[in-house]
Each structure stands twice: as structure tokens, then as C-alpha cells.
Amino acid sequence: MRVTKHEHACLRIEELGQTLIVDPGNFTDPLEGLHDVAGIVLTHEHPDHWTPEHLDRILGAFPGIPIFGPAGLAAAASAYDVTVVAPGDAVTIGPFTLSFYGGRHNVIHSSIPVIDNVGVLVNGVFYYPGDSYAVPAGADVQLLAAPIGAPWLKIGEAMDFVLAVAPRRAFGTHDKTLSAIGLGMHRQRLEWAVQQDGGSFLALDPGDHTEI
């Protein structure tokens, strides 16, 4: 399975010739070279994780593919046929088995309502929590996409999240709001966290990929 990091929080996952797209939002450039897209996962409704423009472009090339997301996302994207998923659900689409965790977006501030969010575990080995620190209990995570910069993120809490998941490898995502200096600092902190359980950190930039 190949995992490609795109700008900010967008991920492309490829397995057996098919592709899964996760969280193409307004900080992400249009995705090029897509092939055999089996489905789309949108972890929540914030525009840095989905836009109509991205969905229209992908659905125009691959009509009829399913979109999975929590109830709040389905309401925000009501013009699209969204299959609502919740923590504890599992679905299979093509070569991808998707298990969902969490349920709520991390708190930004007491004045801002907390919305629905789901983390997704792909084929039991790759985990991305969306905008949360939801831990996939019992999963043997081989690769973790760990949020590294956000209005709701404190780097010490992000480190604790990586420690709790204890993946074999990790890379940072949700990073478009960071300067180059800030990104480097936060990568160092997550690298320390993943190394505590003998894992390794990957400094993936947009377009970079790794294999599981």
C-alpha cells in the first residue's frame, strides 16, 4: 500500500491499482494523475478538509464513487451523496477496509462549537485521526499521519497522541499553517515521540510517498 502526502491534510492511498482520497481541502492543490479512484473519505466539515471544487473535479472524472464522512459533514455537503459513518463503523470499498474512530473534533476554543469528526484506519495498518487525538484502540498501526500544526493543536498534546498510538512509523500532516521554522521544530518533537517505542519519523513534503 502506498501513502502519498499532499498539501495540508490531503492524503492519497493506493492499493492493488485502486486509489482512496482523504480530505482534499482548500489548502490543497488540485490532485493530478488520479487513477481508479474507489472512494473519498472526509473526516469533517471544515473547508481545509473538503471543498465542492475538489469533489466536483474528482467526481467528474470518477462518477458514482462513494463519499464517506460523519453526520456533520453530510449536512454541510448536502449537495453530495455522502454515506454517513460513525465511530465503530467499518466499510469495505475495493481493496480498502475502513474503520472509523473518535467522533468529535478537538476543541479550538470554548466560543467555537465542537463538530463531528472521524479518524480512519485503512486496512488495519494506516491511521489518520482527522482533527482529533482519537486513538484506534487495539490497532497495530504501522503508519500514522499525525496532525502537526493547527489552531487546536498544542505540540505537547500531539506528542502524547503519538506516544499513545505507538506506531512503527509516523509523518506529520495538517501543516499548511506552519512556517518552515515551525514545521521543523514540530517535526523534531514528533520524531522524539515516535522513537520512544522504537518507531521512526518520516519528514514527508507534499508529493512525497511511503510504502506499507
Side-chain angles (χ1 to χ4, degrees):
M1 187 163 67
R2 171 176 288 191
V3 177
T4 301
K5 179 193 171 358
H6 291 281
E7 293 82 7
H8 196 53
C10 183
L11 304 164
R12 179 194 314 212
I13 305 162
E14 297 166 284
E15 176 78 340
L16 299 178
Q18 297 193 49
T19 303
L20 180 73
I21 303 297
V22 182
D23 280 1
N26 62 3
F27 296 158
T28 302
D29 293 339
L31 300 177
E32 303 290 344
L34 294 178
H35 61 87
D36 296 305
V37 175
I40 302 169
V41 174
L42 305 176
T43 61
H44 63 282
E45 64 199 72
H46 286 158
D48 59 325
H49 291 257
W50 82 281
T51 68
E53 292 79 10
H54 276 301
L55 292 190
D56 289 345
R57 188 177 297 110
I58 297 168
L59 292 171
F62 305 95
I65 62 172
I67 303 169
F68 302 100
L73 177 280
S78 59
Y80 300 90
D81 183 12
V82 175
T83 298
V84 173
V85 290
D89 288 348
V91 298
T92 297
I93 178 72
F96 304 104
T97 296
L98 312 176
S99 303
F100 296 95
Y101 294 84
R104 303 299 282 169
H105 192 286
N106 214 52
V107 174
I108 301 172
H109 186 263
S110 58
S111 66
I112 300 174
V114 178
I115 61 171
D116 294 336
N117 178 93
V118 289
V120 59
L121 180 70
V122 182
N123 291 349
V125 295
F126 171 61
Y127 184 61
Y128 165 63
D131 281 9
S132 79
Y133 297 132
V135 174
D140 180 17
V141 177
Q142 296 183 27
L143 181 66
L144 171 67
I148 200 169
W152 49 268
L153 186 148
K154 179 180 177 181
I155 194 60
E157 294 173 348
M159 293 165 70
D160 286 340
F161 168 67
V162 173
L163 288 169
V165 177
R168 300 181 193 179
R169 293 185 297 154
F171 66 91
T173 187
H174 208 286
D175 54 9
K176 196 72 169 180
T177 59
L178 295 176
S179 68
I181 292 174
L183 177 60
M185 291 173 60
H186 285 203
R187 281 175 170 175
Q188 288 177 353
R189 300 282 68 80
L190 294 194
E191 181 176 23
W192 175 90
V194 73
Q195 287 175 345
Q196 300 314 295
D197 282 288
S200 58
F201 184 82
L202 307 173
L204 299 186
D205 292 318
D208 291 345
H209 68 267
T210 187
E211 307 279 346
I212 306 175

